[in-house]
Amino acid sequence: MTFSTPAVREVLADRIRAVGLKVTAPRLAVLHTLQNAPHSSAEQVFAGLREELPGTSTQAVYGVLTSFTAAGLVRRFDPAGSPALYECRVGDNHHHVVCVRCGDLRDVDCVIGEAPCLTPSDTSGFSIFAAEVTFTGLCADCQAAVAELEAS
Ligand SMILES: [Zn+2]
Ligand SMILES: [Zn+2]
């Protein structure tokens, strides 16, 4: 594994241990890759670490991501029309804004600052923990591109 410093490796290892998981090379590599490239799909994580960890498989990466998600170390979300994406930013009930034209995806802070930030009109008797919101629209680049298309 190539980490910028041994300290980086230790910080990642501590975070894996903190959620009760054993530290392994694939787990370190997945967490490291995800930290440098948030909102990655399992395929993208696999592509990102294949060189550093030869012999690993997409299946192994899926396995690590699933145990990370179950342990609360990683958050998984499922934007419409895209494979599941993973990120290390957990526990802050943040949301996402997605460009419908180019797929650019960014974090948006929780609308009111704490979960759940939306109150359903009818909870059907559920107690509500969280609300995941995906805002969709056009990013700044795409707004400009569309304006140019329309002007020509
Ligand atoms: Zn866009
Ligand atoms: Zn995010």
Side-chain angles (χ1 to χ4, degrees):
M1 277 306 300
T2 44
F3 291 102
S4 41
T5 64
V8 171
R9 187 192 179 283
E10 258 328 287
V11 168
L12 296 175
D14 279 347
R15 285 174 48 197
I16 293 170
R17 275 189 289 265
V19 296
L21 294 175
K22 252 175 58 186
V23 178
T24 63
R27 283 178 177 162
L28 278 172
V30 167
L31 194 58
H32 190 233
T33 305
L34 210 50
Q35 202 160 44
N36 294 329
H39 309 132
S40 290
S41 66
E43 288 290 339
Q44 288 167 327
V45 171
F46 176 65
L49 58 70
R50 200 163 25 182
E51 249 171 58
E52 297 181 42
L53 206 71
T56 194
S57 64
T58 338
Q59 212 43 48
V61 169
Y62 270 110
V64 171
L65 286 169
T66 303
S67 59
F68 278 177
T69 306
L73 186 58
V74 155
R75 174 171 160 189
R76 172 199 157 124
F77 64 102
D78 299 85
S82 146
L85 302 179
Y86 299 85
E87 65 184 333
C88 297
R89 187 176 162 184
V90 294
D92 65 353
N93 198 58
H94 78 272
H95 308 298
H96 297 100
V97 59
V98 182
C99 176
V100 296
R101 189 166 177 269
C102 71
D104 190 14
L105 187 149
R106 304 292 173 91
D107 283 338
V108 177
D109 285 343
C110 182
V111 175
I112 63 161
E114 62 190 51
C117 76
L118 294 172
T119 312
S121 48
D122 181 2
T123 62
S124 304
F126 283 53
S127 80
I128 306 296
F129 302 138
E132 261 186 53
V133 181
T134 303
F135 299 95
T136 53
L138 279 179
C139 72
D141 285 352
C142 287
Q143 288 174 52
V146 166
E148 209 164 292
L149 279 176
E150 284 173 354
S152 64

